């Protein structure tokens, strides 16, 4: 869509969520349009940020998986494993490794942080987002991981008041 719009002369900005961009697209003919017109809202800082945890994860991942893309899937996988790992540790401390015990351990975490940057997450309410803050990043061939920071994470007034339907 971004490439077709740019080819047709449209110069409007496009905004999508974190999983709607793959940095491998920067090496294609549509790459320049992404760098100029595309923004990504994400809960995670970009790999090009100076957050110590992100720099460490990027370095360790690139050493272990030479030649593989460093993208949002790496952060997502790491974060998911950290969240599950923390729940399992708490469930072990509580001596309750039943399904309910693991869920309760997870739901007891009101301020989880991955150590990679990003907003703390509150898992105590299943019917609310764990975090409402988002970074704004933009594709960049020059940036580690293919995106650069445009704006630090913020929680908008609309996000603060939004209560998603539960069901």
């Amino acid at each position: 869509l971004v490439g077709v719009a740019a080819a047709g002369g449209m110069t409007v900005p496009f905004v999508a969520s974190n999983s709607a961009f793959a940095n491998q697209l920067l090496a294609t003919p549509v790459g320049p349009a992404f760098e100029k017109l595309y923004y990504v809202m994400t809960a995670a800082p970009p790999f090009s940020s100076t957050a110590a945890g992100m720099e460490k994860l990027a370095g360790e991942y690139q050493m272990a998986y030479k030649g593989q893309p460093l993208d949002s899937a790496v952060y997502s996988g790491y974060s998911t494993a950290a969240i599950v790992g923390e729940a399992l540790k708490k469930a072990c401390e509580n001596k309750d490794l039943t399904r309910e015990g693991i869920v309760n351990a997870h739901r007891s975490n009101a301020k989880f942080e991955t150590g990679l940057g990003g907003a703390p997450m509150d898992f105590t309410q299943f019917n609310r987002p764990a975090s409402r803050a988002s970074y704004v990043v933009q594709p960049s061939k020059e940036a580690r991981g293919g995106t650069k920071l445009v704006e630090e994470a913020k929680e908008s007034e609309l996000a603060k008041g939004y209560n998603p339907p539960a069901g």
Side-chain angles (χ1 to χ4, degrees):
L1 179 62
V2 174
V4 170
M10 290 182 68
T11 57
V12 297
F14 289 83
V15 180
S17 65
N18 60 338
S19 59
F21 174 72
N23 61 9
Q24 297 86 339
L25 292 169
L26 291 171
T28 70
V30 75
F34 273 106
E35 288 184 293
K36 182 178 179 185
L37 302 171
Y38 201 70
Y39 297 87
V40 182
M41 303 298 293
T42 177
F47 275 109
S48 60
S49 77
T50 57
M54 289 298 273
E55 289 180 348
K56 183 176 188 252
L57 176 60
E60 289 177 359
Y61 184 84
Q62 289 175 318
M63 289 292 288
Y65 302 101
K66 293 185 185 331
Q68 295 302 310
L70 185 62
D71 57 22
S72 63
V74 174
Y75 178 90
S76 179
Y78 179 91
S79 296
T80 300
I83 291 165
V84 171
E86 182 66 22
L88 289 172
K89 284 180 195 172
K90 284 187 176 191
C92 286
E93 289 170 8
N94 297 340
K95 298 186 183 339
D96 187 356
L97 290 173
T98 64
R99 180 181 295 221
E100 184 178 338
I102 294 169
V103 169
N104 288 339
H106 172 64
R107 292 285 174 217
S108 73
N109 203 333
K111 196 169 184 175
F112 180 78
E113 295 187 44
T114 61
L116 302 176
M121 294 176 268
D122 179 353
F123 297 117
T124 61
Q125 298 180 41
F126 75 91
N127 59 347
R128 298 228 169 110
S131 174
R132 296 173 188 252
S134 293
Y135 291 86
V136 179
V137 302
Q138 188 172 30
S140 171
K141 282 184 185 180
E142 304 303 317
R144 179 177 62 213
T147 57
K148 64 182 180 182
L149 182 66
V150 174
E151 193 169 320
E152 289 287 344
K154 290 183 184 166
E155 183 177 6
S156 77
E157 290 303 316
L158 287 173
K160 285 179 188 177
Y162 178 70
N163 289 312

